[in-house]
Structure formats: C-alpha cells, structure tokens
Amino acid sequence: MKNTAAKKYIRQVKRLYRGKRRFKRQFIQELKDALLCYLEEHPEATYTDLTKEFGHPSEIRDQLSFHTADELHLRNMTLYWTVVGLCSVTVITVVFFTVRHIVFMHDYSNGYYIEQWEDDENGSNNINPITKATDPPLENHQTFDD
C-alpha cells in the first residue's frame, strides 16, 4: 500500500480495535483488501475520502464492539440458562431421592420392622420341605417387640 492516507487509516483502526487478536488480524486484512479495491478506483484518495467511504475509525470500533457485545450477551445467556437448568435438575433429583428414602424408611420409624405376608387360601405354600407336613398357618402381622 503506497497511499499514506490508507496507511494512516489502517494504523488508527488497529489502534482503536479491541478484541481477540485472531479476529483483529482477520478484520484488518479484510479492511486492507477493501481499501486496495477502493484505491484502485480512486488512486488519489485522501484520509477524508477514506473516512467518508469507510467511516471514522472510532465509528468502526463502535460497530464492532456492538456486534461483539451481542455475541457475548448471547453466549452468556446460553451459559446462564444451561447452569440454571443443570442446577434445577440436580435439586429435583435430590428432592426426589430424599422423599423416596423417607417413604421407604417409614417402616423403621418405630424402631422395628413390621413383616407382612399373605396367606395362600389353599395352604399350598405352607408345606415344610423337609418333613413334607403342613405347618401351622402363618399370622398376618408379626412384630418383634420386647
């Protein structure tokens, strides 16, 4: 680039640009390409001509920071809702398993366990496997109180 106005314009944009180095390098390269195309059509362009065509470097900075802020806001909101969702799932899971544990441990709340079973109506389950004799019928409730 032989035009000193273009060099000055690029230098000011570089100085004012805030952002990641990779994006800055890419943006400056694209701006240089656009300036070269413009300078081919207008070889005697001055700094004022460049600011009229491309905008003042501070305006470019404001436009880029606006787009960057939108991208950051979108990323931050996505991250926020992801964290909120994961925390909600965690809380719901903990509450579910706590309630489940309390319900299952209710039988032990009096200090002993109540064993219950159903009597078979015809008594077929009440045969002693060793003696093959019928044992006395089982009671419905059996507690182990002292």
Side-chain angles (χ1 to χ4, degrees):
M1 216 181 277
K2 294 180 181 178
N3 192 327
T4 57
K7 288 181 183 179
K8 179 181 176 184
Y9 187 80
I10 293 284
R11 195 175 327 113
Q12 286 188 351
V13 170
K14 279 183 183 179
R15 185 174 50 89
L16 292 174
Y17 185 89
R18 299 284 181 251
K20 292 187 176 182
R21 186 173 293 160
R22 180 176 54 131
F23 296 129
K24 180 178 181 177
R25 192 177 320 123
Q26 180 182 0
F27 174 73
I28 296 298
Q29 187 58 45
E30 290 174 4
L31 182 62
K32 282 181 182 179
D33 292 342
L35 281 173
L36 284 174
C37 290
Y38 181 75
L39 289 174
E40 285 177 3
E41 296 174 9
H42 307 92
E44 298 300 322
T46 63
Y47 182 79
T48 309
D49 296 334
L50 294 177
T51 56
K52 285 180 185 175
E53 182 67 28
F54 295 99
H56 196 271
S58 61
E59 293 172 356
I60 293 174
R61 178 199 60 209
D62 294 340
Q63 290 174 351
L64 290 172
S65 65
F66 176 74
H67 292 299
T68 305
D70 283 347
E71 291 171 5
L72 285 175
H73 180 70
L74 178 64
R75 187 188 76 190
N76 288 343
M77 290 307 295
T78 303
L79 180 64
Y80 171 78
W81 286 112
T82 302
V83 169
V84 166
L86 289 174
C87 288
S88 299
V89 167
T90 303
V91 167
I92 289 170
T93 304
V94 167
V95 168
F96 172 76
F97 283 108
T98 301
V99 169
R100 182 174 173 256
H101 178 72
I102 290 170
V103 167
F104 286 147
M105 298 321 283
H106 179 71
D107 289 341
Y108 295 106
S109 63
N110 293 329
Y112 56 88
Y113 181 72
I114 300 172
E115 188 174 325
Q116 297 178 346
W117 60 87
E118 295 180 16
D119 263 344
D120 193 11
E121 292 179 11
N122 57 10
S124 63
N125 289 338
N126 200 14
I127 298 175
N128 188 330
I130 297 172
T131 62
K132 306 290 188 211
T134 304
D135 287 335
L138 301 172
E139 295 182 20
N140 285 339
H141 288 317
Q142 186 178 12
T143 61
F144 301 101
D145 290 333
D146 289 333

